[in-house]
Amino acid sequence: MRLGYYARLFAVQARASLTTAMQYRADFLVQGLTSLYWLGWNLVPLLVLYDDRATVAGWSFGAALVVMAHFVIVRGILEGAINPSLGAVVEQIRSGAFDYTLLRPADAQFLVSTARFAPWRALDVLGGVGLLIYAFVRLGHAPSPAQLGAGLVLLGAGLAVMYGLWIMIVATAFWVVRMDNLIYLLSSVFDAARWPASVFRGVWKVVFTFVIPLALMTTFPARALLGTVTWQAGIGCLVGALLVSIVARLVWRLALRSYTSASS
Amino acid sequence: MMRAARALPTLIRVGMVEAIAYRAEMVVWLLTTTMPLVMLGLWTSVADEAPFRAWATRDFVAYYLVALVVRNLTSNWVAWQISEEIRTGAVSGRLLRPIHPFLGYLGTHLGAVPLRAIAVAPVIVIMMWTSARGVLVTDAAHLALVAAAIVGAWLLTFGVFLCLGALGFFLDKAMGIIEVYFGVFAIMSGYLIPLALLPGWVRAIARVLPFRSMLGDPVAIAIGRVPDAGDAARLVALQWAWAIGLLALATWLWRTGVRRYEAFGG
Amino acid sequence: MTIEVAGLSKHFRVHRRPPGLAAAVRSLWRRRYDTVKAVDDVSFTIARGERVGFLGPNGAGKTTTMKVLSGLLHPTAGAVRVEGHQPFRREPDFLRRITLVMGQKQQLLWDLPPSETYALNRAVFGVDPAQARQTIAELTELLGLAGLTDKPTRQLSLGERMKCELAAALLHRPTTLFLDEPTIGLDVAMQVTIRDFIRDYNQRHDATVLLTSHYMDDVVALCPRVIVIDGGRLIHDGDLRALVKTMLPDKLVSFTGGVPAEEVARLGEVVKAEGGRTTVRVPEARLREVVSHVLDRAGADLAVEDPPLEDVMRKLFKDKRAAAPAAPPAEPPP
């Protein structure tokens, strides 16, 4: 019953986003060109780097491309499914329209997370998949079905981590209005996820492992596809994703409570 | 002109108060310039294995930390401000004031410079503790040129952003242009990778564009990659020429845009 | 009782931001906070089917009270029950029975036709499709929505948008309506439409209505009872006519020509005299005498009115301020 209810809600909201996107059909072309542009842009440092070296921190060009492809895919999902909704919430909080969301008899986190999609960003994801295929052609082998399955599961876990972090950032908007800048901050840190995590050392390693677990978002799913991830590490990723999701939910609820006790 | 000159100190003071009021946002914005730090992490790992085409670890550390400082000192958000004001119609208020709107923007963003300087100070202090210290120039001629190059980079960046903002008069989606601009800037200015490490044909394109004067050249002078003071002075002269040219272009774009805005009501 | 409020208080802590560069720098280290009593020990009850006007100057605490009643704000102190629920728990069963309409904030999806928002609200509130169709048909007829709900919201005029907002807010047939400035910015004809609709909805569904408005005509036309708050405190609760009578016991008598100027002055204080029409303020006790006097001279063109509610409010708040000068008007934080 509850599940069916939320499935229906999701369908209605997704349809509204699609209808909106259809009104701006020219964006399809613009988005396609932009996707291509950034795809090429992303490759520049990779090409410069591997022009001089065969491997960097044990990663060959092909393997690094697999990580890059994951980055492009995850970034596409982030920009297409997560940022628009959460950006909309921050806007709603500022304009006061968020009050209407709170007065609807459905989970507020669900309502805001599905409020807006940018369907054209699917082109980014498509570009990422293309890059992924190219990377494996270059590597000269295809992932086994088991590796593919593990890769998808870990990709799901990575997306859950990312979504959790973003929810926590949005929750801060209840306390500090105009903190949408924090979303930019996280987006810009996320840019580092285009590189295999093991390339970084020292301070970066600590930050990218414990503060913002970028490795979980792109490197581990990529390694699962490449068949270089252990069972223990895989399970570690899943546990990490679960933990981040739980913490995000708690932070959200806390923020909501403070919103309804302190704002006007 | 005289009245405008008299108004400027007040405009800057108001800009400082604004900057303090929005300090939390400013700090976050400064923190979003993580790209040099990420690239720093990447390249130091690479250079630790073996120097990368005559660039050792300390060269990369110096390059990206100085780039971080220059970028944060010289950047501003006037392009976003203008395009937002055009979108909402708030720009009309500026047109009714008896001074050129650029002066208002100048005040706001010059006013933010002291706070930006305070924010980047820790980076400079940290840099003095790292291997990068030995790379930085120390002679008076070069230091003076670095100072001139930073002022020039500020003016040039301001001019470029004014141009981008004024495009909002002509285009609905000026923000998309800014995104594309940033991609070009990051590569052609040396923000992403030092220009010296890029392939020859990319360097050839970068040489004729203004972007390198915004970041790559000032950084190169500061970390001793331009040993001859005469060469460095020529780079600074070129930079100031670009700055004047782009400020003139911005003024023209603005005037044309305003005429259009008045005709169509935005 | 649909709404029960006992000893409700809502306090906010606000950061005081002084002007000037030096002060701005100083506030980096030392922040000063003030406590604002937006609502202070307010009690009232409202029965099912009542229409109550909620009045007070800007920043009196009206919106804050509305938000507490609809569950958006936690009360600082006091007991609140609406439709048998504690609002701040925002239980689905409670939310399905109430609605809040804020004239200055919109829930319609900007880029899409209102019908999409209706579809969303139907799904969110779990309204049965057949019932939703019937409700929409009813609202379409009463509000004159035909042809509006399939145009993108951004193309609608302010008045059309407000009608569509109301329909979106009432799709789930709530029985308690919190209406915060529902007619703000609308022209007179549109105000009348909305007003008639609210009264009709109230009678049809026996719905309880609590309304704030800057337009006193709304309140006069809709609300037999008014609750007045000022500076967060309740200063009047009762019959609208009784309030008018106690505050301004005078009537306004207006007539055209016929009465010599020197006699007019003796009738009462002249409030207005233009276009040959004169209006005088007359104490209730002398009303009969004045009216018969004017009728003798001026014939049938005579009207007797209550003074405008605006005047009543102005007098009410002025008296209140004079009585308690210690309480400054409180503005809740943005």
Side-chain angles (χ1 to χ4, degrees):
Chain A
M1 161 60 209
R2 289 269 78 182
L3 207 62
Y5 170 72
Y6 280 107
R8 257 200 315 284
L9 268 190
F10 180 80
V12 174
Q13 304 239 64
R15 201 177 56 119
S17 287
L18 204 61
T19 318
T20 310
M22 284 301 169
Q23 292 181 21
Y24 302 101
R25 244 162 307 192
D27 285 4
F28 177 75
L29 189 68
V30 174
Q31 185 59 51
L33 291 175
T34 319
S35 297
L36 268 180
Y37 173 76
W38 285 112
L39 201 61
W41 192 92
N42 278 326
L43 294 179
V44 171
L46 212 58
L47 291 171
V48 170
L49 188 56
Y50 282 95
D51 186 42
D52 195 71
R53 301 275 160 100
T55 62
V56 174
W59 289 77
S60 70
F61 180 64
L65 263 189
V66 174
V67 175
M68 184 67 81
H70 272 84
F71 170 76
V72 175
I73 293 170
V74 172
R75 165 130 248 166
I77 293 172
L78 173 71
E79 300 280 357
I82 300 180
N83 270 351
S85 299
L86 302 187
V89 188
V90 176
E91 199 181 295
Q92 277 186 10
I93 292 172
R94 203 178 309 164
S95 74
F98 185 71
D99 290 345
Y100 287 121
T101 301
L102 283 183
L103 291 181
R104 291 180 167 153
D107 184 74
Q109 188 185 337
F110 178 87
L111 280 177
V112 303
S113 303
T114 55
R116 204 183 282 171
F117 298 96
W120 301 142
R121 286 283 177 175
L123 291 169
D124 275 4
V125 179
L126 226 61
V129 173
L131 190 60
L132 193 62
I133 293 170
Y134 171 73
F136 274 101
V137 169
R138 232 191 123 94
L139 285 169
H141 69 86
S144 72
Q147 286 165 352
L148 207 59
L152 280 175
V153 169
L154 289 196
L155 184 62
L159 290 173
V161 170
M162 194 168 67
Y163 168 72
L165 288 177
W166 257 252
I167 277 287
M168 286 191 244
I169 291 293
V170 169
T172 63
F174 290 113
W175 286 295
V176 198
V177 193
R178 295 223 52 164
M179 257 307 164
D180 38 346
N181 289 342
L182 272 178
I183 292 187
Y184 290 109
L185 174 60
L186 210 53
S187 291
S188 87
V189 175
F190 173 69
D191 269 350
R194 74 181 79 226
W195 303 102
S198 52
V199 166
F200 296 104
R201 281 174 309 177
V203 189
W204 285 267
K205 191 168 185 164
V206 176
V207 171
F208 296 155
T209 309
F210 297 106
V211 186
I212 301 156
L214 293 179
L216 251 59
M217 300 181 197
T218 54
T219 307
F220 277 101
R223 283 181 53 188
L225 272 190
L226 292 165
T228 57
V229 79
T230 60
W231 274 111
Q232 295 89 319
I235 287 169
C237 287
L238 294 180
V239 171
L242 191 69
L243 269 178
V244 172
S245 304
I246 291 171
V247 172
R249 180 71 185 169
L250 291 176
V251 170
W252 169 263
R253 293 182 61 152
L254 195 70
L256 212 56
R257 196 170 317 151
S258 119
Y259 177 77
T260 55
S261 65
S263 83
S264 74
Chain B
M1 196 63 206
M2 274 316 290
R3 185 171 45 197
R6 270 202 305 274
L8 196 57
T10 311
L11 291 174
I12 294 174
R13 207 172 48 78
V14 172
M16 285 171 70
V17 176
E18 273 180 298
I20 291 171
Y22 292 117
R23 62 193 174 277
E25 281 155 13
M26 174 122 97
V27 168
V28 174
W29 267 117
L30 295 181
L31 288 173
T32 56
T33 49
T34 50
M35 193 187 278
L37 292 175
V38 170
M39 295 311 285
L40 172 60
L42 176 80
W43 285 108
T44 50
S45 301
V46 172
D48 278 350
E49 289 175 4
F52 191 92
R53 292 202 213 129
W55 281 63
T57 302
R58 61 181 199 154
D59 294 313
F60 282 113
V61 174
Y63 185 87
Y64 283 113
L65 288 183
V66 174
L68 186 68
V69 170
V70 172
R71 168 87 176 149
N72 276 332
L73 272 181
T74 59
S75 190
N76 60 67
W77 47 279
V78 74
W80 289 265
Q81 186 182 15
I82 294 176
S83 82
E84 184 69 11
E85 287 185 4
I86 293 172
R87 206 177 56 76
T88 60
V91 75
S92 305
R94 293 201 183 258
L95 296 177
L96 293 178
R97 290 193 207 156
I99 56 169
H100 195 285
F102 281 5
L103 274 178
Y105 296 128
L106 185 69
T108 301
H109 296 284
L110 269 183
V113 170
L115 216 59
R116 287 177 175 274
I118 293 171
V120 298
V123 179
I124 298 174
V125 173
I126 289 169
M127 190 156 48
M128 289 304 155
W129 284 87
T130 64
S131 56
R133 189 180 171 177
V135 179
L136 300 174
V137 292
T138 47
D139 63 291
H142 272 90
L143 285 177
L145 285 166
V146 168
I150 288 178
V151 175
W154 194 94
L155 287 172
L156 177 53
T157 308
F158 191 64
V160 169
F161 280 4
L162 285 178
C163 288
L164 287 171
L167 283 181
F169 284 119
F170 306 93
L171 304 165
D172 284 345
K173 306 219 161 173
M175 301 311 286
I177 302 279
I178 294 177
E179 197 190 330
V180 173
Y181 154 80
F182 180 76
V184 175
F185 163 82
I187 291 174
M188 296 299 170
S189 70
Y191 185 48
L192 184 64
I193 298 169
L195 286 170
L197 300 181
L198 290 173
W201 62 275
V202 181
R203 254 182 298 160
I205 299 172
R207 199 166 298 135
V208 297
L209 293 175
F211 305 113
R212 64 186 186 121
S213 295
M214 294 168 72
L215 191 90
D217 287 349
V219 176
I221 297 172
I223 66 166
R225 292 263 150 186
V226 192
D228 181 57
D231 288 345
R234 266 187 291 282
L235 285 180
V236 174
L238 175 71
Q239 178 198 47
W240 279 75
W242 272 120
I244 292 165
L246 276 150
L247 286 168
L249 177 65
T251 314
W252 177 79
L253 270 177
W254 181 271
R255 205 168 47 222
T256 318
V258 166
R259 216 169 289 145
R260 207 180 129 94
Y261 182 78
E262 285 162 351
F264 297 106
Chain C
M1 286 292 135
T2 313
I3 300 176
E4 293 169 71
V5 176
L8 170 68
S9 292
K10 177 69 198 173
H11 299 172
F12 296 111
R13 215 163 73 104
V14 291
H15 172 214
R16 189 191 284 173
R17 194 169 270 180
L21 177 57
V25 173
R26 216 169 17 246
S27 79
L28 290 176
W29 295 277
R30 222 175 328 151
R31 310 196 118 213
R32 296 187 53 188
Y33 289 96
D34 292 337
T35 298
V36 173
K37 294 181 179 177
V39 179
D40 195 16
D41 194 19
V42 166
S43 306
F44 57 85
T45 58
I46 298 175
R48 158 111 14 256
E50 264 196 281
R51 296 188 305 266
V52 179
F54 199 25
L55 300 175
N58 283 334
K62 293 174 304 217
T63 300
T64 304
T65 309
M66 287 276 211
K67 285 189 168 187
V68 170
L69 292 180
S70 57
L72 289 171
L73 284 177
H74 250 266
T76 307
V80 179
R81 283 193 91 74
V82 175
E83 295 272 0
H85 293 264
Q86 280 179 297
F88 71 83
R89 293 179 184 275
R90 288 199 305 280
E91 289 149 320
D93 190 43
F94 165 73
L95 295 176
R96 272 193 278 268
R97 288 163 192 265
I98 65 144
T99 200
L100 170 69
V101 175
M102 294 173 280
Q104 318 214 39
K105 296 170 186 177
Q106 63 161 22
Q107 66 164 319
L108 295 175
L109 299 166
W110 185 247
D111 279 321
L112 294 174
S115 55
E116 294 289 341
T117 306
Y118 300 162
L120 175 63
N121 278 6
R122 194 180 72 63
V124 169
F125 287 95
V127 183
D128 166 70
Q131 197 210 318
R133 259 196 304 279
Q134 194 204 334
T135 308
I136 288 176
E138 183 187 312
L139 293 169
T140 302
E141 189 211 316
L142 287 174
L143 282 165
L145 299 180
L148 296 182
T149 55
D150 291 321
K151 275 202 271 181
T153 303
R154 60 168 191 273
Q155 292 174 8
L156 300 178
S157 74
L158 185 62
E160 292 170 339
R161 214 153 68 208
M162 197 59 229
K163 292 200 286 187
C164 294
E165 282 281 343
L166 265 179
L170 298 175
L171 193 74
H172 58 289
R173 291 229 180 125
T175 48
T176 295
L177 278 52
F178 298 110
L179 309 175
D180 193 10
E181 303 281 355
T183 55
I184 197 154
L186 303 184
D187 63 39
V188 177
M190 193 62 79
Q191 281 176 33
V192 171
T193 308
I194 302 264
R195 221 180 272 161
D196 290 346
F197 170 76
I198 293 169
R199 188 185 306 108
D200 193 83
Y201 185 93
N202 152 264
Q203 285 162 358
R204 227 178 246 238
H205 302 287
D206 197 24
T208 311
V209 177
L210 183 60
L211 168 99
T212 74
S213 179
H214 270 105
Y215 304 110
M216 292 304 170
D217 290 348
D218 284 346
V219 178
V220 173
L222 274 177
C223 305
R225 171 182 166 196
V226 291
I227 294 175
V228 185
I229 64 170
D230 187 20
R233 298 186 140 268
L234 189 134
I235 56 176
H236 175 85
D237 178 1
D239 186 66
L240 177 60
R241 306 216 176 278
L243 175 69
V244 173
K245 206 162 270 178
T246 45
M247 290 313 298
L248 291 177
D250 301 348
K251 296 278 179 187
L252 296 180
V253 179
S254 59
F255 50 89
T256 318
V259 185
E262 68 275 10
E263 278 184 33
V264 170
R266 259 188 286 134
L267 292 176
E269 179 200 346
V270 179
V271 182
K272 205 163 73 178
E274 51 183 39
R277 193 166 179 84
T278 314
T279 306
V280 292
R281 190 196 302 280
V282 179
E284 183 124 49
R286 287 187 57 221
L287 186 62
R288 183 183 291 266
E289 170 204 340
V290 170
V291 167
S292 63
H293 187 85
V294 173
L295 276 176
D296 285 350
R297 312 284 167 111
D301 191 10
L302 173 127
V304 179
E305 289 168 347
D306 284 328
L309 195 50
E310 272 87 355
D311 290 355
V312 177
M313 289 299 132
R314 211 170 298 133
K315 183 150 189 283
L316 186 60
F317 299 138
K318 208 160 57 192
D319 286 2
K320 185 70 196 165
R321 295 273 153 72
E331 191 78 42

